Amino acid sequence: MLGVLCGVVSSAVAETPVERGSYLVNAVMVCDGCHSPRGPGDLAIPSGLSVERRFSGGVEVWETPAYTVHGSNITTDRDTGIGSWSGVDIKRLMTEGIRPDGVRVAPQMPYHFYRILTPGDLDAVTSYLKTIKPVSNEMPPPVYKTAVKPPPLPGAETSIGDTVPTDPVARGFYLATLANCMGCHSRRPDGVQDFRNWWGKGGFEIKGEFGSVVVSNISAHREKGVGARTDAELKRALTEGIGHDGRLLKMPMARQVYLSRMTEQDLNAVIAWMRSIPPIE
Ligand code: HEC
Ligand code: HEC
């Protein structure tokens, strides 16, 4: 009886909002990928990460016909980061993409994916961000040429509800949305995200210092997608950055190895979700 009670108490104590926020930010949502500096040639997080200057601004520049932006300094530095923002300011940015000055950020910041957050998880991420140590680093200001509003993401137009689903496919969809998988995997060859007609189809070519790579089809299609892969192969891709053919995956995907920090339950849920993506070719 005592053991049972202790078990309940310790699991309730185990996760404070800051701990939950840390898990989401560091194992699932990887703000690092866009918001932390990395040295040239550093492929995978966490090995290539500049730990001291984490979250103080990314190295990548996203230049599109609509905007030129960099991953902002999201440390608590008051002058060059978001140290002066309130919790409400942070939540509005995270789910609507609107800064305290009313300007909407470029959808390179995947706020249209973060709308799905449960209120508790949104609070948790916000609490965690407030614990990040300040790093002074002035990032170049964004340049906006035309206004862009990202397309709505079916099933993620708004918060999924008060609790994270336990059903594996629904849970996997929640986590994969937070991990922004379809930010790359549902991008058409012209670079536009199309969540209705291009769900998991891949085909967008990403270019960078690593060369160039075409995003894979991750639908359940047996030949074009991942339908014929084993769970172990899919896990290896996510946690070790190794493809089904034993090859090291290129940078944009290899970076997803941070998912190795996910709990077994969550990782299995992401795999279950991938298997549910309708075959498309
Ligand atoms: C795929 C890349 C990407 C990921 C992942 C990402 N961001 Fe961003 N974020 C950006 C970019 C790019 C901007 C700047 C957009 C602009 O200037 O219009 C931005 C802007 C922001 C801003 C506004 C900062 C300011 O000063 O205006 C905040 C806050 C923010 N992100 C927090 C986060 C958090 C927290 C996470 C993880 C939960 C995250 N971002 C994940 C790319 C990303
Ligand atoms: C930043 C863009 C990006 C994001 C985000 C992303 N991927 Fe990928 N993914 C890629 C690219 C590019 C490839 C192809 C890599 C290669 O061929 O070297 C790929 C390949 C894959 C593969 C095929 C591996 C193989 O065996 O060939 C799987 C499975 C996969 N991604 C699943 C996911 C899942 C699940 C997520 C979210 C948790 C995700 N990806 C997030 C870009 C991305």
Side-chain angles (χ1 to χ4, degrees), residues 156-187:
E157 295 91 345
T158 175
S159 168
I160 198 165
D162 285 335
T163 47
V164 177
T166 49
D167 165 71
V169 173
R171 188 181 188 87
F173 172 68
Y174 179 71
L175 295 163
T177 300
L178 296 181
N180 197 21
C181 307
M182 290 308 193
C184 292
H185 285 280
S186 291
R187 222 177 258 274

PDB file of all heavy atoms in Angstrom, residues 156-187:
ATOM      1  N   ALA A 156      -4.611  20.461 -36.366  1.00  0.00           N
ATOM      2  CA  ALA A 156      -3.763  21.260 -35.484  1.00  0.00           C
ATOM      3  C   ALA A 156      -4.116  22.743 -35.592  1.00  0.00           C
ATOM      4  O   ALA A 156      -3.302  23.601 -35.288  1.00  0.00           O
ATOM      5  CB  ALA A 156      -2.291  21.037 -35.837  1.00  0.00           C
ATOM      6  N   GLU A 157      -5.341  23.034 -36.025  1.00  0.00           N
ATOM      7  CA  GLU A 157      -5.744  24.446 -36.174  1.00  0.00           C
ATOM      8  C   GLU A 157      -5.816  25.118 -34.815  1.00  0.00           C
ATOM      9  O   GLU A 157      -5.723  26.326 -34.697  1.00  0.00           O
ATOM     10  CB  GLU A 157      -7.119  24.569 -36.846  1.00  0.00           C
ATOM     11  CG  GLU A 157      -7.185  24.077 -38.286  1.00  0.00           C
ATOM     12  CD  GLU A 157      -7.563  22.598 -38.396  1.00  0.00           C
ATOM     13  OE1 GLU A 157      -7.504  21.876 -37.371  1.00  0.00           O
ATOM     14  OE2 GLU A 157      -7.911  22.177 -39.517  1.00  0.00           O
ATOM     15  N   THR A 158      -6.032  24.284 -33.795  1.00  0.00           N
ATOM     16  CA  THR A 158      -6.167  24.824 -32.452  1.00  0.00           C
ATOM     17  C   THR A 158      -5.689  23.764 -31.453  1.00  0.00           C
ATOM     18  O   THR A 158      -5.337  22.661 -31.857  1.00  0.00           O
ATOM     19  CB  THR A 158      -7.646  25.235 -32.226  1.00  0.00           C
ATOM     20  OG1 THR A 158      -7.792  25.655 -30.885  1.00  0.00           O
ATOM     21  CG2 THR A 158      -8.613  24.088 -32.469  1.00  0.00           C
ATOM     22  N   SER A 159      -5.658  24.119 -30.183  1.00  0.00           N
ATOM     23  CA  SER A 159      -5.157  23.187 -29.166  1.00  0.00           C
ATOM     24  C   SER A 159      -5.874  21.840 -29.233  1.00  0.00           C
ATOM     25  O   SER A 159      -7.082  21.775 -29.431  1.00  0.00           O
ATOM     26  CB  SER A 159      -5.360  23.797 -27.775  1.00  0.00           C
ATOM     27  OG  SER A 159      -5.146  22.818 -26.787  1.00  0.00           O
ATOM     28  N   ILE A 160      -5.122  20.781 -29.044  1.00  0.00           N
ATOM     29  CA  ILE A 160      -5.691  19.434 -29.138  1.00  0.00           C
ATOM     30  C   ILE A 160      -6.619  19.136 -27.958  1.00  0.00           C
ATOM     31  O   ILE A 160      -7.394  18.184 -27.995  1.00  0.00           O
ATOM     32  CB  ILE A 160      -4.561  18.378 -29.234  1.00  0.00           C
ATOM     33  CG1 ILE A 160      -5.099  17.054 -29.769  1.00  0.00           C
ATOM     34  CG2 ILE A 160      -3.864  18.184 -27.902  1.00  0.00           C
ATOM     35  CD1 ILE A 160      -4.025  16.086 -30.234  1.00  0.00           C
ATOM     36  N   GLY A 161      -6.572  19.965 -26.922  1.00  0.00           N
ATOM     37  CA  GLY A 161      -7.416  19.743 -25.735  1.00  0.00           C
ATOM     38  C   GLY A 161      -6.568  19.824 -24.484  1.00  0.00           C
ATOM     39  O   GLY A 161      -5.397  20.212 -24.553  1.00  0.00           O
ATOM     40  N   ASP A 162      -7.157  19.440 -23.370  1.00  0.00           N
ATOM     41  CA  ASP A 162      -6.455  19.622 -22.106  1.00  0.00           C
ATOM     42  C   ASP A 162      -5.402  18.567 -21.810  1.00  0.00           C
ATOM     43  O   ASP A 162      -4.507  18.801 -21.013  1.00  0.00           O
ATOM     44  CB  ASP A 162      -7.462  19.655 -20.947  1.00  0.00           C
ATOM     45  CG  ASP A 162      -8.194  20.990 -20.910  1.00  0.00           C
ATOM     46  OD1 ASP A 162      -7.623  21.980 -21.411  1.00  0.00           O
ATOM     47  OD2 ASP A 162      -9.330  21.032 -20.406  1.00  0.00           O
ATOM     48  N   THR A 163      -5.540  17.395 -22.442  1.00  0.00           N
ATOM     49  CA  THR A 163      -4.572  16.343 -22.120  1.00  0.00           C
ATOM     50  C   THR A 163      -3.926  15.783 -23.379  1.00  0.00           C
ATOM     51  O   THR A 163      -4.545  15.738 -24.445  1.00  0.00           O
ATOM     52  CB  THR A 163      -5.242  15.160 -21.378  1.00  0.00           C
ATOM     53  OG1 THR A 163      -6.432  14.818 -22.079  1.00  0.00           O
ATOM     54  CG2 THR A 163      -5.568  15.501 -19.950  1.00  0.00           C
ATOM     55  N   VAL A 164      -2.687  15.362 -23.228  1.00  0.00           N
ATOM     56  CA  VAL A 164      -1.969  14.729 -24.332  1.00  0.00           C
ATOM     57  C   VAL A 164      -2.583  13.349 -24.538  1.00  0.00           C
ATOM     58  O   VAL A 164      -2.716  12.582 -23.586  1.00  0.00           O
ATOM     59  CB  VAL A 164      -0.468  14.612 -23.994  1.00  0.00           C
ATOM     60  CG1 VAL A 164       0.279  13.888 -25.094  1.00  0.00           C
ATOM     61  CG2 VAL A 164       0.128  15.997 -23.754  1.00  0.00           C
ATOM     62  N   PRO A 165      -3.001  13.013 -25.784  1.00  0.00           N
ATOM     63  CA  PRO A 165      -3.657  11.721 -26.005  1.00  0.00           C
ATOM     64  C   PRO A 165      -2.753  10.550 -25.628  1.00  0.00           C
ATOM     65  O   PRO A 165      -1.530  10.651 -25.732  1.00  0.00           O
ATOM     66  CB  PRO A 165      -3.929  11.702 -27.511  1.00  0.00           C
ATOM     67  CG  PRO A 165      -3.654  13.070 -28.020  1.00  0.00           C
ATOM     68  CD  PRO A 165      -2.834  13.791 -27.014  1.00  0.00           C
ATOM     69  N   THR A 166      -3.387   9.447 -25.203  1.00  0.00           N
ATOM     70  CA  THR A 166      -2.596   8.247 -24.914  1.00  0.00           C
ATOM     71  C   THR A 166      -2.678   7.245 -26.064  1.00  0.00           C
ATOM     72  O   THR A 166      -1.804   6.397 -26.200  1.00  0.00           O
ATOM     73  CB  THR A 166      -3.072   7.555 -23.618  1.00  0.00           C
ATOM     74  OG1 THR A 166      -4.488   7.426 -23.689  1.00  0.00           O
ATOM     75  CG2 THR A 166      -2.685   8.357 -22.399  1.00  0.00           C
ATOM     76  N   ASP A 167      -3.711   7.344 -26.906  1.00  0.00           N
ATOM     77  CA  ASP A 167      -3.791   6.490 -28.089  1.00  0.00           C
ATOM     78  C   ASP A 167      -2.525   6.733 -28.923  1.00  0.00           C
ATOM     79  O   ASP A 167      -2.192   7.883 -29.230  1.00  0.00           O
ATOM     80  CB  ASP A 167      -5.041   6.851 -28.891  1.00  0.00           C
ATOM     81  CG  ASP A 167      -4.987   6.266 -30.281  1.00  0.00           C
ATOM     82  OD1 ASP A 167      -5.117   5.046 -30.392  1.00  0.00           O
ATOM     83  OD2 ASP A 167      -4.767   7.032 -31.253  1.00  0.00           O
ATOM     84  N   PRO A 168      -1.785   5.664 -29.314  1.00  0.00           N
ATOM     85  CA  PRO A 168      -0.485   5.876 -29.952  1.00  0.00           C
ATOM     86  C   PRO A 168      -0.524   6.753 -31.211  1.00  0.00           C
ATOM     87  O   PRO A 168       0.325   7.641 -31.368  1.00  0.00           O
ATOM     88  CB  PRO A 168      -0.013   4.452 -30.287  1.00  0.00           C
ATOM     89  CG  PRO A 168      -0.717   3.573 -29.323  1.00  0.00           C
ATOM     90  CD  PRO A 168      -2.041   4.232 -29.045  1.00  0.00           C
ATOM     91  N   VAL A 169      -1.502   6.538 -32.093  1.00  0.00           N
ATOM     92  CA  VAL A 169      -1.500   7.322 -33.343  1.00  0.00           C
ATOM     93  C   VAL A 169      -1.780   8.801 -33.050  1.00  0.00           C
ATOM     94  O   VAL A 169      -1.108   9.694 -33.574  1.00  0.00           O
ATOM     95  CB  VAL A 169      -2.520   6.751 -34.357  1.00  0.00           C
ATOM     96  CG1 VAL A 169      -2.644   7.661 -35.572  1.00  0.00           C
ATOM     97  CG2 VAL A 169      -2.082   5.347 -34.796  1.00  0.00           C
ATOM     98  N   ALA A 170      -2.755   9.057 -32.167  1.00  0.00           N
ATOM     99  CA  ALA A 170      -3.093  10.446 -31.835  1.00  0.00           C
ATOM    100  C   ALA A 170      -1.937  11.114 -31.086  1.00  0.00           C
ATOM    101  O   ALA A 170      -1.594  12.275 -31.322  1.00  0.00           O
ATOM    102  CB  ALA A 170      -4.368  10.489 -30.991  1.00  0.00           C
ATOM    103  N   ARG A 171      -1.323  10.359 -30.194  1.00  0.00           N
ATOM    104  CA  ARG A 171      -0.171  10.888 -29.447  1.00  0.00           C
ATOM    105  C   ARG A 171       0.990  11.170 -30.408  1.00  0.00           C
ATOM    106  O   ARG A 171       1.663  12.194 -30.325  1.00  0.00           O
ATOM    107  CB  ARG A 171       0.257   9.862 -28.385  1.00  0.00           C
ATOM    108  CG  ARG A 171       1.314  10.345 -27.425  1.00  0.00           C
ATOM    109  CD  ARG A 171       1.678   9.232 -26.442  1.00  0.00           C
ATOM    110  NE  ARG A 171       2.546   9.709 -25.384  1.00  0.00           N
ATOM    111  CZ  ARG A 171       2.122  10.256 -24.254  1.00  0.00           C
ATOM    112  NH1 ARG A 171       0.837  10.411 -24.035  1.00  0.00           N
ATOM    113  NH2 ARG A 171       2.970  10.663 -23.335  1.00  0.00           N
ATOM    114  N   GLY A 172       1.195  10.222 -31.334  1.00  0.00           N
ATOM    115  CA  GLY A 172       2.265  10.384 -32.318  1.00  0.00           C
ATOM    116  C   GLY A 172       2.029  11.604 -33.196  1.00  0.00           C
ATOM    117  O   GLY A 172       2.962  12.352 -33.511  1.00  0.00           O
ATOM    118  N   PHE A 173       0.777  11.827 -33.590  1.00  0.00           N
ATOM    119  CA  PHE A 173       0.461  13.008 -34.398  1.00  0.00           C
ATOM    120  C   PHE A 173       0.776  14.283 -33.620  1.00  0.00           C
ATOM    121  O   PHE A 173       1.374  15.232 -34.151  1.00  0.00           O
ATOM    122  CB  PHE A 173      -1.020  12.989 -34.808  1.00  0.00           C
ATOM    123  CG  PHE A 173      -1.482  14.261 -35.471  1.00  0.00           C
ATOM    124  CD1 PHE A 173      -1.004  14.616 -36.726  1.00  0.00           C
ATOM    125  CD2 PHE A 173      -2.374  15.108 -34.837  1.00  0.00           C
ATOM    126  CE1 PHE A 173      -1.409  15.804 -37.334  1.00  0.00           C
ATOM    127  CE2 PHE A 173      -2.789  16.299 -35.432  1.00  0.00           C
ATOM    128  CZ  PHE A 173      -2.311  16.646 -36.687  1.00  0.00           C
ATOM    129  N   TYR A 174       0.418  14.301 -32.346  1.00  0.00           N
ATOM    130  CA  TYR A 174       0.698  15.467 -31.491  1.00  0.00           C
ATOM    131  C   TYR A 174       2.210  15.734 -31.444  1.00  0.00           C
ATOM    132  O   TYR A 174       2.672  16.848 -31.705  1.00  0.00           O
ATOM    133  CB  TYR A 174       0.146  15.193 -30.092  1.00  0.00           C
ATOM    134  CG  TYR A 174       0.372  16.295 -29.086  1.00  0.00           C
ATOM    135  CD1 TYR A 174      -0.317  17.497 -29.179  1.00  0.00           C
ATOM    136  CD2 TYR A 174       1.271  16.131 -28.027  1.00  0.00           C
ATOM    137  CE1 TYR A 174      -0.125  18.515 -28.249  1.00  0.00           C
ATOM    138  CE2 TYR A 174       1.463  17.137 -27.093  1.00  0.00           C
ATOM    139  CZ  TYR A 174       0.762  18.329 -27.203  1.00  0.00           C
ATOM    140  OH  TYR A 174       0.965  19.328 -26.278  1.00  0.00           O
ATOM    141  N   LEU A 175       2.974  14.683 -31.162  1.00  0.00           N
ATOM    142  CA  LEU A 175       4.424  14.847 -31.020  1.00  0.00           C
ATOM    143  C   LEU A 175       5.090  15.198 -32.352  1.00  0.00           C
ATOM    144  O   LEU A 175       5.964  16.054 -32.421  1.00  0.00           O
ATOM    145  CB  LEU A 175       5.036  13.557 -30.457  1.00  0.00           C
ATOM    146  CG  LEU A 175       4.581  13.224 -29.028  1.00  0.00           C
ATOM    147  CD1 LEU A 175       4.876  11.764 -28.707  1.00  0.00           C
ATOM    148  CD2 LEU A 175       5.270  14.146 -28.025  1.00  0.00           C
ATOM    149  N   ALA A 176       4.635  14.530 -33.423  1.00  0.00           N
ATOM    150  CA  ALA A 176       5.237  14.786 -34.736  1.00  0.00           C
ATOM    151  C   ALA A 176       4.909  16.200 -35.202  1.00  0.00           C
ATOM    152  O   ALA A 176       5.701  16.832 -35.912  1.00  0.00           O
ATOM    153  CB  ALA A 176       4.735  13.758 -35.746  1.00  0.00           C
ATOM    154  N   THR A 177       3.742  16.696 -34.792  1.00  0.00           N
ATOM    155  CA  THR A 177       3.390  18.074 -35.139  1.00  0.00           C
ATOM    156  C   THR A 177       4.328  19.022 -34.398  1.00  0.00           C
ATOM    157  O   THR A 177       4.895  19.943 -34.987  1.00  0.00           O
ATOM    158  CB  THR A 177       1.916  18.353 -34.789  1.00  0.00           C
ATOM    159  OG1 THR A 177       1.110  17.438 -35.532  1.00  0.00           O
ATOM    160  CG2 THR A 177       1.513  19.774 -35.146  1.00  0.00           C
ATOM    161  N   LEU A 178       4.545  18.765 -33.123  1.00  0.00           N
ATOM    162  CA  LEU A 178       5.462  19.607 -32.352  1.00  0.00           C
ATOM    163  C   LEU A 178       6.888  19.495 -32.896  1.00  0.00           C
ATOM    164  O   LEU A 178       7.657  20.443 -32.843  1.00  0.00           O
ATOM    165  CB  LEU A 178       5.436  19.226 -30.869  1.00  0.00           C
ATOM    166  CG  LEU A 178       4.098  19.460 -30.158  1.00  0.00           C
ATOM    167  CD1 LEU A 178       4.207  19.072 -28.696  1.00  0.00           C
ATOM    168  CD2 LEU A 178       3.654  20.909 -30.295  1.00  0.00           C
ATOM    169  N   ALA A 179       7.228  18.316 -33.439  1.00  0.00           N
ATOM    170  CA  ALA A 179       8.576  18.115 -33.983  1.00  0.00           C
ATOM    171  C   ALA A 179       8.684  18.652 -35.403  1.00  0.00           C
ATOM    172  O   ALA A 179       9.754  18.609 -36.008  1.00  0.00           O
ATOM    173  CB  ALA A 179       8.949  16.633 -33.954  1.00  0.00           C
ATOM    174  N   ASN A 180       7.555  19.130 -35.952  1.00  0.00           N
ATOM    175  CA  ASN A 180       7.587  19.823 -37.242  1.00  0.00           C
ATOM    176  C   ASN A 180       7.943  18.903 -38.413  1.00  0.00           C
ATOM    177  O   ASN A 180       8.477  19.354 -39.432  1.00  0.00           O
ATOM    178  CB  ASN A 180       8.603  20.984 -37.130  1.00  0.00           C
ATOM    179  CG  ASN A 180       8.464  22.019 -38.220  1.00  0.00           C
ATOM    180  OD1 ASN A 180       7.413  22.127 -38.842  1.00  0.00           O
ATOM    181  ND2 ASN A 180       9.519  22.756 -38.466  1.00  0.00           N
ATOM    182  N   CYS A 181       7.678  17.595 -38.284  1.00  0.00           N
ATOM    183  CA  CYS A 181       8.034  16.650 -39.351  1.00  0.00           C
ATOM    184  C   CYS A 181       7.465  17.101 -40.696  1.00  0.00           C
ATOM    185  O   CYS A 181       8.164  17.096 -41.715  1.00  0.00           O
ATOM    186  CB  CYS A 181       7.488  15.256 -39.066  1.00  0.00           C
ATOM    187  SG  CYS A 181       7.913  14.579 -37.452  1.00  0.00           S
ATOM    188  N   MET A 182       6.187  17.495 -40.704  1.00  0.00           N
ATOM    189  CA  MET A 182       5.549  17.829 -41.969  1.00  0.00           C
ATOM    190  C   MET A 182       5.969  19.206 -42.487  1.00  0.00           C
ATOM    191  O   MET A 182       5.651  19.573 -43.607  1.00  0.00           O
ATOM    192  CB  MET A 182       4.033  17.716 -41.846  1.00  0.00           C
ATOM    193  CG  MET A 182       3.557  16.270 -41.694  1.00  0.00           C
ATOM    194  SD  MET A 182       4.213  15.170 -42.982  1.00  0.00           S
ATOM    195  CE  MET A 182       3.153  13.729 -42.732  1.00  0.00           C
ATOM    196  N   GLY A 183       6.698  19.951 -41.671  1.00  0.00           N
ATOM    197  CA  GLY A 183       7.273  21.206 -42.158  1.00  0.00           C
ATOM    198  C   GLY A 183       8.196  20.940 -43.334  1.00  0.00           C
ATOM    199  O   GLY A 183       8.290  21.739 -44.271  1.00  0.00           O
ATOM    200  N   CYS A 184       8.882  19.806 -43.305  1.00  0.00           N
ATOM    201  CA  CYS A 184       9.734  19.396 -44.438  1.00  0.00           C
ATOM    202  C   CYS A 184       9.035  18.351 -45.296  1.00  0.00           C
ATOM    203  O   CYS A 184       9.076  18.420 -46.518  1.00  0.00           O
ATOM    204  CB  CYS A 184      11.045  18.794 -43.934  1.00  0.00           C
ATOM    205  SG  CYS A 184      12.133  19.981 -43.124  1.00  0.00           S
ATOM    206  N   HIS A 185       8.399  17.381 -44.649  1.00  0.00           N
ATOM    207  CA  HIS A 185       7.901  16.222 -45.404  1.00  0.00           C
ATOM    208  C   HIS A 185       6.603  16.493 -46.168  1.00  0.00           C
ATOM    209  O   HIS A 185       6.189  15.645 -46.954  1.00  0.00           O
ATOM    210  CB  HIS A 185       7.770  15.006 -44.476  1.00  0.00           C
ATOM    211  CG  HIS A 185       9.105  14.389 -44.137  1.00  0.00           C
ATOM    212  ND1 HIS A 185       9.783  13.536 -44.989  1.00  0.00           N
ATOM    213  CD2 HIS A 185       9.909  14.533 -43.058  1.00  0.00           C
ATOM    214  CE1 HIS A 185      10.928  13.172 -44.440  1.00  0.00           C
ATOM    215  NE2 HIS A 185      11.037  13.762 -43.272  1.00  0.00           N
ATOM    216  N   SER A 186       5.939  17.639 -45.938  1.00  0.00           N
ATOM    217  CA  SER A 186       4.757  17.988 -46.746  1.00  0.00           C
ATOM    218  C   SER A 186       5.004  19.234 -47.582  1.00  0.00           C
ATOM    219  O   SER A 186       4.093  19.986 -47.903  1.00  0.00           O
ATOM    220  CB  SER A 186       3.535  18.231 -45.865  1.00  0.00           C
ATOM    221  OG  SER A 186       3.111  17.023 -45.285  1.00  0.00           O
ATOM    222  N   ARG A 187       6.256  19.454 -47.927  1.00  0.00           N
ATOM    223  CA  ARG A 187       6.600  20.609 -48.750  1.00  0.00           C
ATOM    224  C   ARG A 187       6.660  20.169 -50.206  1.00  0.00           C
ATOM    225  O   ARG A 187       7.341  19.198 -50.534  1.00  0.00           O
ATOM    226  CB  ARG A 187       7.964  21.150 -48.320  1.00  0.00           C
ATOM    227  CG  ARG A 187       8.048  22.648 -48.252  1.00  0.00           C
ATOM    228  CD  ARG A 187       9.415  23.056 -47.737  1.00  0.00           C
ATOM    229  NE  ARG A 187       9.396  23.459 -46.334  1.00  0.00           N
ATOM    230  CZ  ARG A 187       9.110  24.681 -45.908  1.00  0.00           C
ATOM    231  NH1 ARG A 187       8.803  25.630 -46.757  1.00  0.00           N
ATOM    232  NH2 ARG A 187       9.131  24.968 -44.636  1.00  0.00           N
TER     233      ARG A 187
END
